[in-house]
Amino acid sequence: MIVIDPASPVPPFEQLRAQLARRVQDRTLAVGTRLPAIRRLAADLGLAANTVGRAYRELEEAGLIETRGAAGSFVSAADVKGRERARRAAAEFAAVVTRAGIDTDEAVRIVRAALADGSTG
C-alpha cells in the first residue's frame, strides 16, 4: 500500500517514486506487473495527476518501469539487467581493489563516497 504523508518535507511525487522503486527493487512488484493508470492512482492517493505522472516519468528514466502507450505502465525487466550490470561492476571493482592492495573497509568507504556523490565515473 502506498502512503503519502502530507506533513512530510519530502514532496509527494518523491514519496510515491521512492515507494514504488523500493517495491520494484525488492520484487514486491514483479517484472511485467501493470501499474495503476496515472489518473486512477492520483485519485486513490488524493494527488494531482501531474504529481503521479512525474513519479512515473522518473521511474521510467531510471529503467524501473516502461510505458506501453495506451496499454499503460509496467514494471520493466531493465531493473534485472541493471542489477546484473551492477554485479559485474562490483566484481571488476573487487578485482581492482585486490590488485591495488586496498583493504575491505577502505573499499567500502570508496563505494559509499561514490554513491553519496552520485558519481557515475
Side-chain angles (χ1 to χ4, degrees), residues 11-53:
F13 84 88
E14 177 56 22
Q15 292 180 53
L16 176 59
R17 187 211 60 77
Q19 289 179 58
L20 287 173
R22 199 170 313 115
R23 289 182 177 179
V24 170
Q25 292 165 341
D26 71 10
R27 305 289 188 256
T28 303
L29 288 174
V31 170
T33 301
R34 185 171 193 260
L35 298 178
I38 290 173
R39 290 180 195 273
R40 189 178 96 220
L41 186 56
D44 290 349
L45 297 175
L47 298 172
N50 287 340
T51 300
V52 175

Side-chain angles (χ1 to χ4, degrees), residues 73-93:
S73 296
F74 297 81
V75 174
S76 173
D79 179 52
V80 174
K81 294 174 189 171
R83 285 178 180 273
E84 183 53 37
R85 283 194 315 268
R87 282 187 197 96
R88 284 193 308 268
E92 291 173 26
F93 177 72

